[in-house]
Amino acid sequence: AVFTSGGDSQGMNAAVRAVVRFGIYLGCEVYFIKEGYQGMVDGGKNIVKADWASVSGIIHRGGTVIGSARCMDFKERWGRLKAANNLINLGITNLVAIGGDGSLTGANQFREEWSSLVKDLVDNNQISADQATKHGHLNIVGMVGSIDNDFCG
């Protein structure tokens, strides 16, 4: 799944398009998470399957076509727990996070907490032990999408 988070920056749509098209090329099911971390927490219609045509004609557009939102809920463990539940129920354990320092820091924290979030979901009977085994690891790729000039390299 791919999402954009934080403030809009140049190149976000090109990055989203590249992630979707390369994922499809590799034979993966690719999802959009609309409105960044807020969409991940809220789930439902905010997490939708992407296809080749859904990213046609977007690289020249400004902003991010899948939306971006600040999300106070994700800063709290209960919000990350909801996000983990939404992803696991869709079979998503690979994320591409496109954003700035705060967004990528949040993605890393999510990755670090993943196993304990999965354990809590099992303990609270929100997912099965089988789902926990199948989705016990979270892979994250972080892509810088920022106008703040605060990343080296």
Side-chain angles (χ1 to χ4, degrees):
V2 60
F3 69 100
T4 54
S5 178
D8 294 353
S9 70
Q10 64 280 10
M12 282 186 158
N13 289 328
V16 167
R17 179 181 183 260
V19 168
V20 170
R21 292 214 168 155
F22 195 67
I24 291 169
Y25 170 79
L26 293 175
C28 302
E29 282 188 352
V30 183
Y31 289 84
F32 292 134
I33 300 175
K34 296 181 177 181
E35 304 305 330
Y37 286 115
Q38 192 65 57
M40 196 183 302
V41 171
D42 293 343
K45 62 179 174 40
N46 292 303
I47 305 175
V48 297
K49 196 175 286 190
D51 61 30
W52 196 271
S54 63
V55 291
S56 294
I58 68 167
I59 58 175
H60 68 282
R61 295 177 60 188
T64 167
V65 296
I66 58 176
S68 182
R70 305 275 183 210
C71 181
M72 299 310 291
D73 295 346
F74 196 80
K75 292 183 177 187
E76 304 294 332
R77 184 171 173 84
W78 65 264
R80 294 188 298 277
L81 197 61
K82 280 184 69 176
N85 188 40
N86 289 330
L87 296 179
I88 290 170
N89 283 318
L90 289 170
I92 299 170
T93 54
N94 298 299
L95 292 177
V96 177
I98 305 170
D101 183 46
S103 300
L104 300 182
T105 299
N108 188 52
Q109 180 180 11
F110 196 39
R111 180 195 57 80
E112 288 175 346
E113 288 183 344
W114 185 259
S115 60
S116 68
L117 293 169
V118 170
K119 181 183 180 312
D120 286 356
L121 290 170
V122 171
D123 291 346
N124 294 327
N125 295 316
Q126 292 180 279
I127 64 169
S128 68
D130 187 49
Q131 283 177 299
T133 301
K134 188 174 180 182
H135 307 296
H137 182 75
L138 179 67
N139 297 302
I140 294 185
V141 171
M143 297 177 71
V144 177
S146 177
I147 61 169
D148 295 337
N149 198 25
D150 58 354
F151 282 94
C152 298

Short mmCIF file of all heavy atoms in Angstrom, two decimals, residues 57-92:
data_model
loop_
_atom_site.label_atom_id
_atom_site.label_comp_id
_atom_site.label_asym_id
_atom_site.label_seq_id
_atom_site.Cartn_x
_atom_site.Cartn_y
_atom_site.Cartn_z
N GLY A 57 -2.17 9.89 -15.97
CA GLY A 57 -2.37 11.33 -16.06
C GLY A 57 -2.26 12.08 -14.75
O GLY A 57 -2.91 13.11 -14.57
N ILE A 58 -1.44 11.59 -13.81
CA ILE A 58 -1.35 12.29 -12.52
C ILE A 58 -0.01 12.98 -12.28
O ILE A 58 0.08 13.83 -11.39
CB ILE A 58 -1.64 11.34 -11.32
CG1 ILE A 58 -0.54 10.30 -11.14
CG2 ILE A 58 -3.02 10.73 -11.45
CD1 ILE A 58 -0.61 9.54 -9.82
N ILE A 59 1.01 12.65 -13.06
CA ILE A 59 2.33 13.16 -12.70
C ILE A 59 2.49 14.66 -12.90
O ILE A 59 3.34 15.28 -12.27
CB ILE A 59 3.48 12.40 -13.39
CG1 ILE A 59 3.36 12.44 -14.91
CG2 ILE A 59 3.52 10.96 -12.92
CD1 ILE A 59 4.54 11.80 -15.61
N HIS A 60 1.66 15.26 -13.70
CA HIS A 60 1.75 16.70 -13.92
C HIS A 60 0.90 17.50 -12.93
O HIS A 60 0.98 18.72 -12.88
CB HIS A 60 1.33 17.05 -15.35
CG HIS A 60 -0.12 16.81 -15.60
ND1 HIS A 60 -0.63 15.55 -15.83
CD2 HIS A 60 -1.17 17.66 -15.62
CE1 HIS A 60 -1.94 15.64 -15.99
NE2 HIS A 60 -2.30 16.92 -15.88
N ARG A 61 0.11 16.80 -12.13
CA ARG A 61 -0.79 17.48 -11.18
C ARG A 61 -0.05 17.84 -9.90
O ARG A 61 0.80 17.10 -9.44
CB ARG A 61 -1.99 16.60 -10.88
CG ARG A 61 -2.85 16.37 -12.13
CD ARG A 61 -4.01 15.45 -11.90
NE ARG A 61 -4.89 15.98 -10.87
CZ ARG A 61 -5.89 15.29 -10.36
NH1 ARG A 61 -6.14 14.07 -10.76
NH2 ARG A 61 -6.66 15.83 -9.43
N GLY A 62 -0.40 18.96 -9.33
CA GLY A 62 0.21 19.38 -8.07
C GLY A 62 -0.38 18.64 -6.88
O GLY A 62 -1.42 17.99 -6.97
N GLY A 63 0.29 18.74 -5.77
CA GLY A 63 -0.20 18.11 -4.54
C GLY A 63 -0.08 16.61 -4.60
O GLY A 63 0.84 16.07 -5.18
N THR A 64 -1.04 15.94 -4.00
CA THR A 64 -1.07 14.49 -4.02
C THR A 64 -2.50 14.04 -4.30
O THR A 64 -3.43 14.46 -3.61
CB THR A 64 -0.54 13.88 -2.69
OG1 THR A 64 -0.86 12.50 -2.64
CG2 THR A 64 -1.10 14.57 -1.47
N VAL A 65 -2.67 13.22 -5.32
CA VAL A 65 -4.02 12.83 -5.74
C VAL A 65 -4.70 11.90 -4.73
O VAL A 65 -5.91 11.75 -4.77
CB VAL A 65 -4.02 12.16 -7.14
CG1 VAL A 65 -3.58 13.16 -8.20
CG2 VAL A 65 -3.19 10.89 -7.17
N ILE A 66 -3.93 11.29 -3.83
CA ILE A 66 -4.55 10.41 -2.84
C ILE A 66 -4.76 11.11 -1.50
O ILE A 66 -5.24 10.51 -0.54
CB ILE A 66 -3.79 9.08 -2.66
CG1 ILE A 66 -2.33 9.30 -2.25
CG2 ILE A 66 -3.90 8.25 -3.93
CD1 ILE A 66 -1.57 8.02 -1.98
N GLY A 67 -4.42 12.38 -1.45
CA GLY A 67 -4.68 13.17 -0.24
C GLY A 67 -3.66 12.96 0.85
O GLY A 67 -2.93 11.97 0.87
N SER A 68 -3.61 13.90 1.73
CA SER A 68 -2.69 13.88 2.84
C SER A 68 -3.35 14.64 3.98
O SER A 68 -4.01 15.64 3.75
CB SER A 68 -1.37 14.57 2.44
OG SER A 68 -0.46 14.52 3.49
N ALA A 69 -3.19 14.12 5.18
CA ALA A 69 -3.82 14.79 6.32
C ALA A 69 -2.96 14.61 7.56
O ALA A 69 -2.30 13.59 7.73
CB ALA A 69 -5.21 14.21 6.58
N ARG A 70 -2.96 15.60 8.40
CA ARG A 70 -2.32 15.45 9.71
C ARG A 70 -3.20 14.51 10.53
O ARG A 70 -4.42 14.49 10.38
CB ARG A 70 -2.22 16.80 10.43
CG ARG A 70 -1.52 17.86 9.60
CD ARG A 70 -0.03 17.79 9.75
NE ARG A 70 0.58 18.89 9.00
CZ ARG A 70 1.78 18.80 8.47
NH1 ARG A 70 2.49 17.72 8.60
NH2 ARG A 70 2.28 19.82 7.83
N CYS A 71 -2.59 13.73 11.39
CA CYS A 71 -3.37 12.73 12.12
C CYS A 71 -2.89 12.63 13.56
O CYS A 71 -1.88 11.99 13.84
CB CYS A 71 -3.30 11.37 11.44
SG CYS A 71 -4.25 10.10 12.27
N MET A 72 -3.63 13.25 14.44
CA MET A 72 -3.29 13.18 15.86
C MET A 72 -3.55 11.78 16.43
O MET A 72 -2.85 11.34 17.33
CB MET A 72 -4.07 14.23 16.65
CG MET A 72 -3.78 15.66 16.22
SD MET A 72 -2.02 16.08 16.13
CE MET A 72 -1.61 16.05 17.86
N ASP A 73 -4.54 11.07 15.86
CA ASP A 73 -4.87 9.73 16.34
C ASP A 73 -3.69 8.78 16.21
O ASP A 73 -3.46 7.93 17.07
CB ASP A 73 -6.06 9.14 15.58
CG ASP A 73 -7.34 9.92 15.80
OD1 ASP A 73 -7.40 10.74 16.73
OD2 ASP A 73 -8.30 9.70 15.03
N PHE A 74 -2.92 8.90 15.12
CA PHE A 74 -1.80 7.98 14.88
C PHE A 74 -0.67 8.20 15.87
O PHE A 74 0.15 7.32 16.09
CB PHE A 74 -1.29 8.12 13.44
CG PHE A 74 -0.42 6.97 13.00
CD1 PHE A 74 -0.99 5.78 12.59
CD2 PHE A 74 0.96 7.08 13.01
CE1 PHE A 74 -0.20 4.71 12.19
CE2 PHE A 74 1.77 6.03 12.61
CZ PHE A 74 1.19 4.84 12.19
N LYS A 75 -0.63 9.35 16.49
CA LYS A 75 0.40 9.63 17.50
C LYS A 75 0.15 8.87 18.79
O LYS A 75 1.04 8.73 19.63
CB LYS A 75 0.49 11.13 17.77
CG LYS A 75 1.03 11.90 16.59
CD LYS A 75 1.19 13.37 16.90
CE LYS A 75 1.79 14.08 15.70
NZ LYS A 75 2.12 15.47 15.99
N GLU A 76 -1.06 8.37 18.94
CA GLU A 76 -1.43 7.58 20.13
C GLU A 76 -1.43 6.10 19.78
O GLU A 76 -1.78 5.72 18.67
CB GLU A 76 -2.82 8.00 20.63
CG GLU A 76 -2.96 9.47 20.94
CD GLU A 76 -2.11 9.91 22.12
OE1 GLU A 76 -1.82 9.08 23.02
OE2 GLU A 76 -1.71 11.10 22.13
N ARG A 77 -1.09 5.27 20.74
CA ARG A 77 -1.03 3.82 20.49
C ARG A 77 -2.38 3.27 20.00
O ARG A 77 -2.41 2.44 19.10
CB ARG A 77 -0.56 3.08 21.74
CG ARG A 77 -0.39 1.59 21.47
CD ARG A 77 0.28 0.87 22.61
NE ARG A 77 0.28 -0.55 22.40
CZ ARG A 77 1.16 -1.22 21.68
NH1 ARG A 77 2.16 -0.59 21.10
NH2 ARG A 77 1.08 -2.53 21.54
N TRP A 78 -3.48 3.75 20.57
CA TRP A 78 -4.79 3.23 20.16
C TRP A 78 -5.04 3.51 18.67
O TRP A 78 -5.68 2.72 17.98
CB TRP A 78 -5.92 3.76 21.04
CG TRP A 78 -6.14 5.24 20.94
CD1 TRP A 78 -5.63 6.20 21.78
CD2 TRP A 78 -6.91 5.94 19.96
NE1 TRP A 78 -6.03 7.45 21.37
CE2 TRP A 78 -6.82 7.32 20.25
CE3 TRP A 78 -7.65 5.54 18.86
CZ2 TRP A 78 -7.45 8.29 19.47
CZ3 TRP A 78 -8.29 6.51 18.09
CH2 TRP A 78 -8.18 7.87 18.42
N GLY A 79 -4.53 4.63 18.17
CA GLY A 79 -4.68 4.95 16.75
C GLY A 79 -3.85 4.02 15.88
O GLY A 79 -4.32 3.56 14.83
N ARG A 80 -2.64 3.74 16.32
CA ARG A 80 -1.79 2.81 15.57
C ARG A 80 -2.37 1.40 15.62
O ARG A 80 -2.26 0.64 14.66
CB ARG A 80 -0.36 2.87 16.09
CG ARG A 80 0.31 4.21 15.83
CD ARG A 80 1.79 4.22 16.17
NE ARG A 80 2.07 3.98 17.57
CZ ARG A 80 2.04 4.90 18.53
NH1 ARG A 80 1.71 6.16 18.24
NH2 ARG A 80 2.34 4.59 19.78
N LEU A 81 -3.01 1.05 16.72
CA LEU A 81 -3.66 -0.25 16.85
C LEU A 81 -4.80 -0.38 15.83
O LEU A 81 -4.94 -1.41 15.17
CB LEU A 81 -4.17 -0.43 18.28
CG LEU A 81 -4.51 -1.82 18.75
CD1 LEU A 81 -3.30 -2.74 18.72
CD2 LEU A 81 -5.08 -1.77 20.17
N LYS A 82 -5.61 0.68 15.70
CA LYS A 82 -6.69 0.68 14.70
C LYS A 82 -6.11 0.57 13.29
O LYS A 82 -6.63 -0.17 12.45
CB LYS A 82 -7.52 1.97 14.80
CG LYS A 82 -8.55 1.97 15.89
CD LYS A 82 -9.39 3.23 15.88
CE LYS A 82 -10.29 3.28 14.67
NZ LYS A 82 -11.18 4.46 14.67
N ALA A 83 -5.03 1.30 13.03
CA ALA A 83 -4.40 1.25 11.71
C ALA A 83 -3.89 -0.16 11.41
O ALA A 83 -4.10 -0.69 10.31
CB ALA A 83 -3.26 2.27 11.64
N ALA A 84 -3.23 -0.78 12.38
CA ALA A 84 -2.72 -2.15 12.20
C ALA A 84 -3.86 -3.11 11.91
O ALA A 84 -3.77 -3.96 11.01
CB ALA A 84 -1.94 -2.59 13.42
N ASN A 85 -4.95 -2.99 12.63
CA ASN A 85 -6.11 -3.85 12.42
C ASN A 85 -6.67 -3.68 11.00
O ASN A 85 -6.97 -4.66 10.32
CB ASN A 85 -7.18 -3.55 13.46
CG ASN A 85 -8.33 -4.53 13.43
OD1 ASN A 85 -8.12 -5.73 13.25
ND2 ASN A 85 -9.53 -4.05 13.61
N ASN A 86 -6.79 -2.44 10.55
CA ASN A 86 -7.30 -2.18 9.20
C ASN A 86 -6.39 -2.79 8.14
O ASN A 86 -6.88 -3.39 7.16
CB ASN A 86 -7.45 -0.68 8.96
CG ASN A 86 -8.59 -0.08 9.73
OD1 ASN A 86 -9.58 -0.73 10.01
ND2 ASN A 86 -8.46 1.19 10.09
N LEU A 87 -5.09 -2.67 8.30
CA LEU A 87 -4.16 -3.22 7.32
C LEU A 87 -4.19 -4.75 7.32
O LEU A 87 -4.24 -5.38 6.26
CB LEU A 87 -2.73 -2.72 7.60
CG LEU A 87 -2.51 -1.21 7.45
CD1 LEU A 87 -1.07 -0.86 7.77
CD2 LEU A 87 -2.89 -0.73 6.06
N ILE A 88 -4.15 -5.35 8.51
CA ILE A 88 -4.14 -6.81 8.60
C ILE A 88 -5.41 -7.39 7.99
O ILE A 88 -5.37 -8.40 7.28
CB ILE A 88 -3.94 -7.26 10.06
CG1 ILE A 88 -2.51 -6.96 10.50
CG2 ILE A 88 -4.26 -8.75 10.22
CD1 ILE A 88 -2.25 -7.14 11.98
N ASN A 89 -6.55 -6.76 8.23
CA ASN A 89 -7.80 -7.28 7.68
C ASN A 89 -7.86 -7.22 6.16
O ASN A 89 -8.64 -7.93 5.54
CB ASN A 89 -9.00 -6.57 8.31
CG ASN A 89 -9.27 -7.09 9.71
OD1 ASN A 89 -9.20 -8.29 9.96
ND2 ASN A 89 -9.56 -6.20 10.63
N LEU A 90 -7.01 -6.39 5.56
CA LEU A 90 -6.91 -6.34 4.09
C LEU A 90 -5.70 -7.11 3.58
O LEU A 90 -5.44 -7.14 2.38
CB LEU A 90 -6.84 -4.88 3.62
CG LEU A 90 -8.14 -4.09 3.76
CD1 LEU A 90 -7.91 -2.61 3.49
CD2 LEU A 90 -9.21 -4.65 2.84
N GLY A 91 -4.94 -7.71 4.49
CA GLY A 91 -3.76 -8.48 4.09
C GLY A 91 -2.58 -7.62 3.69
O GLY A 91 -1.70 -8.06 2.96
N ILE A 92 -2.52 -6.40 4.19
CA ILE A 92 -1.45 -5.47 3.83
C ILE A 92 -0.36 -5.49 4.90
O ILE A 92 -0.62 -5.20 6.07
CB ILE A 92 -1.99 -4.03 3.68
CG1 ILE A 92 -3.03 -3.97 2.57
CG2 ILE A 92 -0.85 -3.04 3.44
CD1 ILE A 92 -3.80 -2.65 2.51
#
